[in-house]
């Protein structure tokens, strides 16, 4: 933030994946503009938010008229989002972070026991950095299509996930070591058979409603498509027994 201000630029942060999980201090983080979505915070679809520091949105009367000409305010959506934020504040972001971390740790421990599964953006279960992660995990399993894994989780276990490039195509190509030649080949293949949707990763995201049992169901489903590492089998059975009978 200090470097951005030094050169006269403004810092804008996309907090769509963070706002429901952590408290955000715009002043302390030197954030000028903060954007997030209502439906990511347990409110209905259709409401987006752009917060700006005071003095940054000083429009002339004519400019305000043009802005308002875009359409009416979504009053119901704004009210619902306000209520959702109020409930999140009542629960407390410290409690949310603590409970989500328990779920994430359980999920990562199980996921790392699956053969050929690769996690992205998570350093590992035996590091203190995991405590700084939000309850989101992206991964792939060998040469299995992430679209197929997502479809199976939805149809067989009632688990909703997202697959693909998550509006971050350039970053995903870098993480997946996708070469320009592979990119050209895939583009041609997808023109012929668009349903394949080959590129990308599978993403799971936990929230207030999720429980350890939900994680267990997900891991059971994924291990049917893959297989556990031998060193993880006994630990997995022990964890499963504790969840079912504990």
């Amino acid at each position: 933030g200090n470097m951005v201000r030094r050169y006269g630029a403004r810092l804008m942060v996309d907090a769509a994946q963070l706002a429901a999980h952590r408290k955000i201090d715009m002043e302390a983080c030197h954030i000028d503009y903060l954007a997030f979505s209502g439906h990511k915070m347990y409110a209905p679809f259709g409401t987006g938010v752009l917060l700006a520091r005071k003095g940054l949105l000083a429009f002339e009367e004519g400019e305000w008229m043009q802005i308002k000409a875009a359409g009416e305010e979504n009053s119901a959506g704004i009210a619902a989002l306000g209520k959702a934020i109020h409930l999140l504040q009542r629960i407390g972001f410290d409690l949310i972070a603590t409970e989500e971390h328990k779920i994430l740790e359980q999920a990562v421990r199980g996921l790392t026991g699956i053969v050929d599964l690769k996690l992205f953006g998570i350093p590992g279960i035996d590091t203190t950095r995991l405590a700084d992660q939000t309850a989101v995990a992206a991964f792939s399993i060998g040469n299995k299509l992430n679209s197929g894994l997502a479809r199976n989780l939805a149809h067989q276990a009632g688990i909703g996930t997202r697959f693909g490039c998550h509006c971050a195509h350039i970053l995903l190509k870098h993480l997946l070591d996708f070469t320009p030649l592979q990119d050209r080949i895939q583009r041609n293949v997808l023109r012929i058979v668009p349903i394949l949707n080959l590129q990308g990763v599978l993403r799971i995201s936990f929230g207030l409603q999720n429980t350890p049992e939900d994680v267990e169901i997900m891991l059971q489903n994924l291990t049917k498509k893959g297989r556990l590492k031998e060193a993880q089998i006994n630990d997995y059975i022990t964890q499963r027994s504790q969840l079912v009978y504990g």
Side-chain angles (χ1 to χ4, degrees):
N2 289 332
M3 182 176 294
V4 171
R5 290 181 179 281
R6 188 179 307 143
Y7 291 98
R10 297 295 180 182
L11 179 61
M12 181 174 181
V13 174
D14 177 1
Q17 295 290 349
L18 181 66
H21 304 279
R22 297 290 188 276
K23 182 179 179 180
I24 303 172
D25 190 330
M26 290 182 62
E27 184 174 0
C29 296
H30 305 291
I31 299 173
D32 295 297
Y33 301 97
L34 183 77
F36 60 90
S37 300
H39 72 274
K40 295 288 187 181
M41 300 187 72
Y42 310 103
F45 283 90
T47 303
V49 176
L50 174 62
L51 292 175
R53 295 172 68 91
K54 289 183 178 180
L56 294 182
L57 294 181
F59 297 109
E60 300 293 337
E61 182 63 28
E63 293 174 318
W64 270 120
M65 294 298 292
Q66 289 181 327
I67 292 171
K68 292 180 179 180
E72 297 293 328
E73 292 182 346
N74 179 11
S75 301
I78 294 171
L81 176 58
K83 183 64 175 180
I85 293 174
H86 176 66
L87 292 175
L88 287 171
Q89 290 174 333
R90 286 184 58 187
I91 294 170
F93 283 99
D94 288 341
L95 178 59
I96 291 173
T98 298
E99 293 301 313
E100 288 184 353
H101 176 71
K102 294 177 183 177
I103 294 289
L104 179 64
E105 184 176 357
Q106 176 193 350
V108 172
R109 191 178 299 278
L111 291 172
T112 53
I114 298 176
V115 173
D116 293 331
L117 188 144
K118 182 179 180 181
L119 280 167
F120 297 92
I122 294 181
I125 195 65
D126 299 321
T127 173
T128 55
R129 285 180 56 197
L130 186 64
D132 297 326
Q133 301 285 139
T134 55
V136 177
F139 59 91
S140 62
I141 301 179
N143 59 358
K144 298 183 183 300
L145 293 178
N146 59 84
S147 56
L149 293 172
R151 189 179 303 110
N152 189 73
L153 282 170
H155 292 174
Q156 302 299 323
I159 295 174
T161 60
R162 187 179 176 188
F163 64 89
C165 290
H166 313 287
C167 301
H169 292 69
I170 295 176
L171 175 61
L172 259 295
K173 289 176 183 178
H174 173 72
L175 292 174
L176 296 171
D177 295 323
F178 215 65
T179 67
L181 176 60
Q182 289 174 307
D183 190 36
R184 288 196 297 272
I185 293 173
Q186 178 176 271
R187 288 176 184 273
N188 291 328
V189 170
L190 291 180
R191 287 193 186 100
I192 302 171
V193 192
I195 196 173
L196 288 178
N197 204 344
L198 299 176
Q199 190 183 2
V201 297
L202 185 67
R203 185 184 72 195
I204 55 174
S205 178
F206 300 109
L208 295 174
Q209 75 280 12
N210 291 121
T211 65
E213 288 73 23
D214 295 332
V215 179
E216 173 65 13
I217 292 171
M218 178 196 70
L219 293 174
Q220 286 182 0
N221 183 275
L222 290 175
T223 51
K224 291 177 183 177
K225 292 297 179 181
R227 66 184 191 277
L228 286 175
K229 298 174 183 176
E230 292 184 8
Q232 297 285 340
I233 291 178
N234 291 333
D235 289 341
Y236 182 74
I237 292 174
T238 301
Q239 292 171 17
R240 183 174 183 275
S241 300
Q242 291 174 343
L243 285 169
V244 175
Y245 303 109

